[in-house]
Amino acid sequence: MKEFNGKVAFITGGASGAGFGQAKVFSEAGCKVVIADIRQDHLDQAVAYFKDKKVPIHAIRLDITDRKAYAAAADEVEKVFGEPPQLLFNTAGVNAFGPAEASTFEDYDWVMGVCLGGVVNGMVTFVPRMIRAGKGGHIVTVSSWGGFVASPNCTPYSTAKAAVVMMMECYYQALKPYGISVSCLCPGGINSNIGESSYTRPKHLGNTGYNTNEKTIAFMRKHYSYGMDPVELANVLKRGMENDVLFILPFDSPETMMRETVERYVNYVSPEGMKRQEIVAAARRDEMKKHPNPMMEGAEEAGWGKAKPDLVWIDESVRPKN
Ligand SMILES: NC(=O)c1ccc[n+]([C@@H]2O[C@H](COP(=O)([O-])OP(=O)(O)OC[C@H]3O[C@@H](n4cnc5c(N)ncnc54)[C@H](O)[C@@H]3O)[C@@H](O)[C@H]2O)c1
């Protein structure tokens, strides 16, 4: 898609971080932007930001896991802007960190409910409306580089992010004949509020196996502050959309990273390859010891990525380090 002016854009998680960056960049490009978010305080801040700009912005409080509310939000967009969106950004997401083996049903239900289920709800709600409107469009889902790299310390998240990568490739092929393009944005770190994800965790899914408390949240705030600027990220996304790129990787050498990912899978299919992969992993661990990542400073003291203390059967001494 080359021309954004006058298009209606629906952005989930649009009131903070990556989504707010998209709201700024695409409203600047002339879009009528709908910001949908579960956090009222984030919505209020976003609306206040746009107040003086005199651009068409509409805010909706929405939990993307709630299908009825999602349909009502889609109706509201048509009422406010007279048509369904031509641009859909499935950006809202949450994360949670802890050992895969400590994960509870609720850890999976919450994280995958938002990061995968929320995207499913976006697609099933909007795709038929977009096709019926006959104006084409572009759908973006924000996955993560974590959708390509296995993490034993945020497994529900990585699982959901990998799933939406595949989902977007399927939709890319399915929607092309309707003039609707599809992209999947796969960032590394973003300077955002995602460290506060647990604040929106529903009570009935509160049972976690992970060590989550104000100390771990404070660590995450610092950790994510090293991430990419959301407006810069949205500009990279926009360029990718203009060129109809499916996997938009905001890195210096995305092709090298993807080749290494494919190579990892190739290695995993034979005994010789498994040995090769062990060597690659050991070299990476050595590299990390030599050059510790400043983003991880304070993780150990904060107890980040660990199991909650009463899961005494988890042996921290044998677990892979973050
Ligand atoms: N922060 C990173 O380092 C990073 C890296 C790669 C990918 N991502 C992805 O980027 C996307 C945006 O995250 P961010 O980092 O900007 O975080 P953020 O927390 O700043 O923004 C996400 C927004 O989504 C909202 N949200 C959460 N649950 C919701 C729900 N159920 N319904 C509606 N809104 C909901 C939050 O209230 C928040 O305003 C996510 O999909 C995330 O997984 C983030």
Side-chain angles (χ1 to χ4, degrees), residues 34-93:
V34 183
I35 293 172
D37 205 291
I38 198 170
R39 271 183 70 164
Q40 190 60 49
D41 58 336
H42 284 177
L43 283 170
D44 292 345
Q45 284 165 23
V47 168
Y49 171 87
F50 283 111
K51 200 164 179 232
D52 299 334
K53 310 246 174 315
K54 308 226 178 316
V55 288
I57 293 281
H58 184 70
I60 300 178
R61 184 152 189 209
L62 172 68
D63 176 354
I64 57 168
T65 68
D66 180 340
R67 289 178 178 162
K68 267 196 184 152
Y70 214 133
D75 289 343
E76 189 173 325
V77 175
E78 292 187 28
K79 225 171 159 184
V80 172
F81 289 125
E83 56 183 351
Q86 293 85 45
L87 300 172
L88 166 64
F89 297 85
N90 294 306
T91 302

Side-chain angles (χ1 to χ4, degrees), residues 266-278:
V266 171
N267 282 344
Y268 280 152
V269 301
S270 70
E272 301 74 32
M274 294 299 289
K275 284 181 197 141
R276 281 198 302 273
Q277 193 55 38
E278 267 308 312

Side-chain angles (χ1 to χ4, degrees), residues 12-20 36-39 42 62-65 90-95 110 114-115 142-146 157 161 185-197 200 223-224 227 230 233:
T12 72
S16 173
F20 191 35
D37 205 291
I38 198 170
R39 271 183 70 164
H42 284 177
L62 172 68
D63 176 354
I64 57 168
T65 68
N90 294 306
T91 302
V94 291
N95 63 13
W110 173 50
V114 177
C115 293
V142 181
S143 174
S144 168
W145 183 238
Y157 181 80
K161 293 299 183 183
L185 177 66
C186 305
I190 307 169
N191 185 359
S192 77
N193 294 306
I194 201 163
E196 294 181 0
S197 287
T200 60
H223 173 83
Y224 288 109
L233 179 63

